[in-house]
């Protein structure tokens, strides 16, 4: 993982921005992140996303941990299957000392659907505690008895006393009496913290008053309700098929998933489509949420709700000139102000955008990240934001910077409470003002609901290490230059995986070493062995032809490639197809 860094000190407040990139040998990969969490006990940030051409095959989940003071990498790991795997949310379980991530894998590993949900739990050191892929199905009775295999996606997660509640959507939606292929229902289920087994699984849907229209419903955020015990709160969108989309919010019971309120839809008058990306508890009363409004150069919004989900106020925000705005995350800071994170495109390029408002939605400041001397001239996107320590906000997203020839990198920016990252030895700043206009439209509210139980099957996921290097662009305490944070001195993986007949095994060493590559089957029986004496540091390849030491073809199945250097052995799963 390549890390391009900007470090800054503002008085006693440390501020910096970095782009992180996974690397293997001379290759760099596309890396994207949608979620960040602060571990206040570890004084660290943990970032979750995905990386292309991962060591487990296809796109892999990428999770890494950095120090909060300077963004120095502590560890980095890849998780997933031999299909494409994506992480969308991460949270901290302080009781068990662990991080929990959810997302999805594509296509399904279990049936012929397009996507399955996944949840995984890792320790403070990044080691996999458990991880599962969940494939959903349900039964319909009309027009005839049938079992439907569905697509599942997860976008949000929260910690509950007994486990973890995850939220997303299921396609087709099981709530409709007749299931058209383009329906979608909100999917929420709860898993045990000990092993990830499901405690309950439910799908939820809006419906027209005459039950003739079943819209498509999606959840993008879930939180534990801090105002009413025993409840969770979900936010997302309802698409009514007539080019209108409403903001969706409802509450459920943590014990069994039953609805605690109706499913409320909110439409912002003057705008046909709006949807919520994030919701948070307001410590005074109720909740605050943010999201986007569809349409070319449309504004974004912040909305306050009281505890019974009645709107208190809604504000829309747009650039004083023509610009595309997106708002994907919100937090309530320790002063009870609101901070949103998203993207702004005032011209040809997109910038990470952060805005702070007071409790009535009035803008305190609005900034975009451009780098010192405006060197970040390519596209940057903001996806999530946290407050830690209590003097800074830290946003995460992804960026094309530093080079158009470099794949997307994960972007992390730690800014002070005034929205600044001061550039060293100059009066320049890494963020610049982005003037915003505020409006106060009216909101219409509608409610209806339906829900249905869903069944899940699950299979395990796997883990591997990832390597990280960083390049300091500018810093108040370090000169421009390169440094490497080595997570794994030795690596091995193969392409393709799964494979037919032959696969290329890649491995690297960082010092002159005697290396043994061995292939074994599930029982541990040796199939093939390769020895290399005193090879210098670097990346190497060999081809396994699917044969044993006698030149005989081995049957299809699961095998293991073992890289041994001294007393260190790294194992990689191989899947041979015939």
């Amino acid at each position: 993982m390549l890390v391009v860094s900007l470090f800054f000190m503002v008085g006693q407040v440390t501020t910096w921005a970095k782009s992180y990139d996974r690397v293997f040998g001379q290759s760099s990969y596309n890396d994207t992140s949608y979620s960040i969490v602060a571990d206040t006990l570890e004084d660290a940030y943990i970032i979750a996303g995905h990386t292309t051409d991962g060591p487990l095959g296809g796109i892999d989940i990428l999770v890494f941990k950095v120090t909060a003071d300077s963004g120095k990498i502590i560890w980095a790991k890849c998780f997933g299957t031999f299909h494409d795997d994506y992480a969308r949310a991460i949270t901290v379980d302080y009781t068990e000392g662990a991080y929990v991530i959810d997302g999805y894998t594509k296509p399904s590993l279990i049936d012929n659907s397009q996507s399955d949900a996944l949840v995984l739990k890792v320790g403070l050191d990044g080691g996999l505690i458990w991880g599962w892929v969940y494939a959903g199905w349900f039964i319909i009775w009309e027009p005839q008895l049938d079992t439907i295999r569905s697509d599942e996606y997860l976008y949000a997660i929260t910690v509950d006393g007994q486990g973890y509640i995850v939220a997303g959507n299921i396609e087709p939606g099981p709530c409709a009496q007749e299931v058209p292929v383009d329906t979608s229902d909100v999917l929420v289920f709860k898993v045990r913290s000990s092993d990830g087994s499901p405690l309950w699984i439910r799908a939820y849907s809006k419906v027209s008053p005459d039950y003739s229209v079943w819209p498509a419903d999606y959840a993008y955020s879930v939180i534990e309700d801090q105002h009413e015990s025993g409840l969770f709160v979900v936010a997302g969108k309802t698409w009514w098929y007539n080019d209108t989309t409403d903001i969706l919010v409802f509450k459920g019971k943590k014990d069994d998933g039953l609805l605690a309120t109706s499913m409320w839809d909110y439409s912002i008058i003057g705008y046909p489509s709006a949807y919520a990306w994030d919701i948070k508890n307001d410590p005074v009363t109720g909740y605050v949420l943010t999201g986007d409004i569809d349409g070319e150069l449309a504004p974004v919004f912040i909305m306050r709700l009281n505890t019974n989900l009645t709107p208190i106020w809604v504000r829309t925000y747009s650039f004083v000139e023509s610009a595309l705005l997106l708002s994907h995350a919100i937090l309530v800071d320790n002063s009870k102000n609101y901070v949103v994170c998203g993207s702004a495109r005032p011209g040809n390029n997109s910038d990470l955008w952060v805005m702070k408002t007071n409790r009535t939605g009035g803008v305190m400041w609005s900034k975009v990240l451009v780098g010192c001397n405006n060197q970040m001239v390519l596209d940057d996107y903001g996806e999530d934001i946290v407050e830690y320590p209590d003097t800074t906000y830290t946003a995460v997203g992804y960026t094309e910077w530093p080079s158009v020839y470099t794949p997307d990198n994960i972007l992390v920016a730690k800014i002070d409470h005034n929205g600044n990252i001061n550039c060293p030895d100059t009066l320049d700043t890494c963020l610049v003002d982005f003037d915003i206009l505020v409006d106060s439209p009216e909101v219409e509210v509608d409610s209806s609901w339906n829900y249905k139980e869903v069944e899940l099957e699950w299979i395990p996921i796997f883990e591997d290490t990832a390597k990280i290097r960083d390049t300091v662009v500018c810093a108040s305490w370090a000169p421009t230059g390169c440094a490497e944070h080595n997570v794994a001195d030795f690596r091995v993986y193969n392409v393709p995986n799964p494979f037919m007949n032959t696969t290329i095994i890649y491995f690297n060493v960082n010092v002159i070493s005697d290396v043994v590559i061995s292939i074994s089957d599930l029982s541990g029986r040796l199939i093939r062995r390769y020895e290399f004496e005193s090879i210098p540091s670097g990346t190497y390849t060999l081809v396994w032809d699917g044969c044993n030491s006698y030149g005989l073809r081995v049957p299809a199945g699961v095998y293991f490639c073992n890289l041994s250097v001294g007393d260190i052995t790294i194992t990689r799963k191989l899947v041979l197809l015939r």
Side-chain angles (χ1 to χ4, degrees):
M1 176 171 283
L2 169 69
V3 182
V4 182
S5 318
L6 302 89
F7 297 94
F8 311 97
M9 293 287 290
V10 183
Q12 298 300 311
V13 179
T14 305
T15 56
W16 46 265
K18 287 187 172 185
S19 63
Y20 297 82
D21 186 18
R22 185 180 70 88
V23 294
F24 182 78
Q26 299 301 312
S27 299
S28 182
Y29 303 98
N30 280 297
D31 307 294
T32 305
S33 176
Y34 296 99
S35 186
I36 185 172
V37 68
D39 186 337
T40 58
L41 298 182
E42 295 274 305
D43 193 28
Y45 305 119
I46 304 88
I47 297 99
H50 61 264
T51 182
T52 59
D53 296 312
L56 296 167
I59 296 171
D60 287 345
I61 290 171
L62 177 62
V63 182
F64 60 100
K65 185 175 184 177
V66 303
T67 61
D69 60 347
S70 64
K72 180 180 179 181
I73 296 152
I74 301 171
W75 52 255
K77 289 289 188 72
C78 287
F79 303 93
T81 68
F82 53 84
H83 287 184
D84 292 340
D85 309 294
Y86 303 82
R88 295 303 300 251
I90 185 170
T91 190
V92 183
D93 184 343
Y94 286 106
T95 301
E96 299 198 6
Y99 312 119
V100 192
I101 301 103
D102 75 358
Y104 48 89
T105 184
K106 302 174 67 176
S108 173
L109 292 163
I110 298 175
D111 51 44
N112 60 355
S113 64
Q114 296 299 308
S115 178
D116 290 335
L118 64 81
V119 184
L120 62 105
K121 181 177 182 178
V122 304
L124 300 180
D125 61 354
L128 182 64
I129 299 173
W130 53 255
W132 299 101
V133 171
Y134 303 85
W137 57 274
F138 56 92
I139 295 175
I140 61 170
W141 302 94
E142 299 290 344
Q144 63 185 19
L145 180 65
D146 195 7
T147 298
I148 303 297
R149 290 288 182 172
S150 51
D151 302 334
E152 298 79 37
Y153 303 85
L154 296 180
Y155 299 97
I157 188 168
T158 189
V159 177
D160 172 52
Q162 295 176 314
Y164 313 113
I165 297 174
V166 295
N169 68 291
I170 179 171
E171 304 173 2
C175 290
Q177 301 300 311
E178 297 180 6
V179 182
V181 295
D182 56 353
T183 62
S184 172
D185 291 345
V186 169
L187 174 67
V188 182
F189 63 93
K190 182 176 178 179
V191 300
R192 289 184 176 87
S193 59
S194 59
D195 60 8
S197 58
L199 290 166
W200 51 259
I201 314 107
R202 296 195 181 273
Y204 310 82
S205 177
K206 295 280 292 182
V207 62
S208 63
D210 61 358
Y211 285 80
S212 63
V213 179
W214 295 83
D217 302 294
Y218 304 82
Y220 298 122
S221 184
V222 63
I223 56 174
E224 185 177 21
D225 194 341
Q226 295 178 357
H227 304 287
E228 297 185 70
S229 63
L231 302 182
F232 62 87
V233 189
V234 169
K237 71 177 182 181
T238 296
W239 176 45
W240 286 100
Y241 302 114
N242 57 355
D243 295 327
T244 62
T245 304
D246 294 336
I247 302 160
L248 173 66
V249 182
F250 66 89
K251 295 185 182 185
K253 299 177 181 179
K254 294 191 297 183
D255 287 343
D256 54 18
L258 294 176
L259 283 168
T261 66
S262 293
M263 297 177 67
W264 292 92
D265 265 4
Y266 308 87
S267 57
I268 300 176
I269 295 177
Y271 302 99
S273 295
Y275 41 92
W277 285 111
D278 197 16
I279 188 169
K280 292 293 192 299
N281 288 283
D282 187 289
V284 177
T285 182
Y287 319 95
V288 60
L289 59 155
T290 191
D292 300 336
I293 297 174
D294 275 347
E296 186 176 358
L297 306 180
V300 300
F301 72 88
I302 299 176
M303 183 161 61
R304 279 280 314 279
L305 303 174
N306 61 22
T307 54
N308 64 9
L309 304 185
T310 301
I312 299 173
W313 54 256
V314 61
R315 304 283 185 265
T316 59
Y317 303 87
S318 56
F319 189 37
V320 294
E321 300 176 8
S322 296
L324 174 66
L325 281 181
L326 301 173
S327 180
H328 285 179
I330 191 167
L331 65 82
V332 185
D333 71 9
N334 56 29
S335 299
K336 301 181 178 60
N337 296 310
Y338 307 128
V339 183
V340 299
C341 175
S343 308
R345 184 182 289 271
N348 294 326
N349 298 108
S350 178
D351 296 319
L352 183 147
W353 171 59
V354 182
M355 180 181 70
K356 183 174 183 176
T357 78
N358 59 27
R359 293 191 52 76
T360 59
V363 176
M364 301 174 68
W365 51 257
S366 170
K367 307 269 189 174
V368 291
L369 180 68
V370 297
C372 296
N373 301 314
N374 294 305
Q375 82 268 41
M376 298 183 71
V377 296
L378 300 175
D379 287 338
D380 318 302
Y381 302 90
E383 297 292 343
D384 197 10
I385 192 165
V386 295
E387 182 185 37
Y388 179 78
D390 60 7
T391 54
T392 59
Y393 312 118
T394 303
V396 74
Y398 54 99
T399 177
E400 293 179 355
W401 189 81
S403 170
V404 71
Y405 302 107
T406 301
D408 284 345
N409 302 325
I410 292 173
L411 176 63
V412 181
K414 182 181 178 183
I415 65 178
D416 66 21
H417 273 192
N418 295 316
N420 294 322
I421 301 176
N422 288 342
C423 299
D425 303 323
T426 73
L427 299 178
D428 199 6
T429 179
C430 203
L431 291 92
V432 297
D433 292 334
F434 187 77
D435 294 333
I436 290 291
L437 297 175
V438 185
D439 193 13
S440 302
E442 296 182 357
V443 176
E444 291 183 338
V445 183
D446 166 67
S447 69
S448 64
W449 58 271
N450 201 339
Y451 63 85
K452 185 172 181 177
E453 293 187 13
V454 180
E455 302 293 335
L456 292 178
E457 300 176 39
W458 62 94
I459 61 173
I461 65 174
F462 306 96
E463 66 177 313
D464 204 337
T465 55
K467 182 183 177 182
I468 296 171
R469 66 184 182 189
D470 78 12
T471 303
V472 177
V473 175
C474 53
S476 59
W477 65 84
T480 298
C482 295
E484 293 204 355
H485 302 290
N486 198 23
V487 176
D489 289 334
F490 311 103
R491 282 287 308 280
V492 62
Y493 75 102
N494 69 299
V495 176
N497 193 24
F499 64 97
M500 298 280 290
N501 299 323
T502 63
T503 186
I504 302 174
I505 297 172
Y506 296 81
F507 64 95
N508 78 299
V509 295
N510 281 4
V511 295
I512 297 176
S513 307
D514 294 332
V515 175
V516 174
I517 300 284
S518 61
I519 309 295
S520 58
D521 62 15
L522 282 171
S523 68
R525 181 169 57 94
L526 180 65
I527 301 297
R528 193 79 171 263
R529 178 183 174 92
Y530 306 87
E531 296 185 5
F532 306 87
E533 293 185 359
S534 301
I535 61 173
S537 62
T539 301
Y540 300 87
T541 64
L542 65 88
V543 176
W544 182 41
D545 57 6
C547 296
N548 61 21
S549 299
Y550 301 101
L552 302 176
R553 291 182 10 138
V554 298
V558 175
Y559 295 86
F560 297 95
C561 176
N562 310 291
L563 167 67
S564 298
V565 182
D567 58 356
I568 298 174
T569 299
I570 299 173
T571 299
R572 175 80 166 86
K573 187 179 75 169
L574 314 177
V575 179
L576 172 60
L577 307 175
R578 291 295 191 189

